[in-house]
Amino acid sequence: MDIRLEKRTDYKEVEHLVREAFWNVYRPGCYEHLIIHNMRHDSSFISQLDYVIEKDNKIIAQIAYSTNDICLDGENTETVVTLGPVCVHPDYQRRGFGTKIIEYTLEKAKEMDIPYVFTIGAEDFYNRFGFEDASKYGVQFNDVEGETPFFMIKVLTEDKIDCINGTYKDNECFNVDKDELESFDKNFPPKKKEKREGQLDF
């Protein structure tokens, strides 16, 4: 097993991996492969934290980080770091590879003096890495009212955070255009979209 930075020559293989890992998980089909494709060409992309795991002569896991803004008030913003997407090929899931690549890159982020990292996902999974509800630090997810346990923060340096009090704004790379997705998907082998129990409602 080799944890290493992604290379340009890995891009297509990683996009196939991401598509395979997310297909029919959160919605019929998926769009995470388009997100990672667009993110790499955006100024928000953090190439120093763009890692993959290679095993059996193929890439079986990936992780990406990007920057986005928190609106502190009507005018001021703060640039923060967000983890994701991250995935492991279905044939290699539940074998610790996801844990390895997350822990490895969080340590790299700390070495880069990144004080905290946000993520959006399953709290039961990310709690094990020390992520906690971001509302604890006064951060609201977009314009969503009420509890958002899926929106979490991992504090890497305790003395660099007190209470942020602001509104987290999604990176534009995560806003997927359906027509763009349909066109992009033509570059991949056909796969059947299925509605499954437990998927998101959108």
Side-chain angles (χ1 to χ4, degrees), residues 44-133:
S44 66
F45 184 60
I46 305 176
S47 58
Q48 303 96 314
L49 293 173
D50 177 33
Y51 277 84
V52 298
I53 292 181
E54 191 170 21
K55 183 176 173 60
D56 301 330
N57 297 314
K58 59 185 177 182
I59 295 173
I60 57 99
Q62 66 78 221
I63 195 167
Y65 290 75
S66 60
T67 60
N68 56 289
D69 291 333
I70 288 181
C71 296
L72 302 176
D73 51 40
E75 299 179 357
N76 297 317
T77 62
E78 178 180 342
T79 300
V80 296
V81 172
T82 300
L83 181 163
V86 56
C87 71
V88 177
H89 191 280
D91 292 344
Y92 291 84
Q93 291 176 4
R94 302 187 183 280
R95 293 168 58 180
F97 295 111
T99 296
K100 285 181 173 63
I101 200 167
I102 291 173
E103 290 181 340
Y104 185 86
T105 54
L106 285 175
E107 187 59 35
K108 290 292 183 183
K110 186 174 182 178
E111 291 173 5
M112 292 169 62
D113 291 325
I114 295 172
Y116 39 84
V117 173
F118 290 90
T119 197
I120 300 162
E123 57 269 30
D124 290 344
F125 176 75
Y126 283 104
N127 285 164
R128 73 179 75 169
F129 304 105
F131 281 88
E132 51 190 330
D133 193 330

Side-chain angles (χ1 to χ4, degrees), residues 9-10 15 19 28 38 58 61-62 72 81-82 87 119-120 128-129 136 159 169 175-176 178-179 194:
T9 52
D10 299 325
E15 288 167 10
R19 185 173 185 257
N38 289 337
K58 59 185 177 182
Q62 66 78 221
L72 302 176
V81 172
T82 300
C87 71
T119 197
I120 300 162
R128 73 179 75 169
F129 304 105
K136 174 181 176 181
D159 61 2
K169 296 298 182 182
N175 296 328
V176 174
K178 291 184 179 179
D179 292 335
E194 298 177 356

Side-chain angles (χ1 to χ4, degrees), residues 104-168:
Y104 185 86
T105 54
L106 285 175
E107 187 59 35
K108 290 292 183 183
K110 186 174 182 178
E111 291 173 5
M112 292 169 62
D113 291 325
I114 295 172
Y116 39 84
V117 173
F118 290 90
T119 197
I120 300 162
E123 57 269 30
D124 290 344
F125 176 75
Y126 283 104
N127 285 164
R128 73 179 75 169
F129 304 105
F131 281 88
E132 51 190 330
D133 193 330
S135 65
K136 174 181 176 181
Y137 297 92
V139 186
Q140 179 184 354
F141 180 69
N142 292 332
D143 296 318
V144 178
E145 297 183 0
E147 296 183 356
T148 53
F150 56 84
F151 174 52
M152 293 162 280
I153 186 173
K154 161 76 173 178
V155 177
L156 300 175
T157 308
E158 291 287 347
D159 61 2
K160 291 186 178 181
I161 186 170
D162 184 10
C163 193
I164 302 172
N165 288 327
T167 302
Y168 177 97

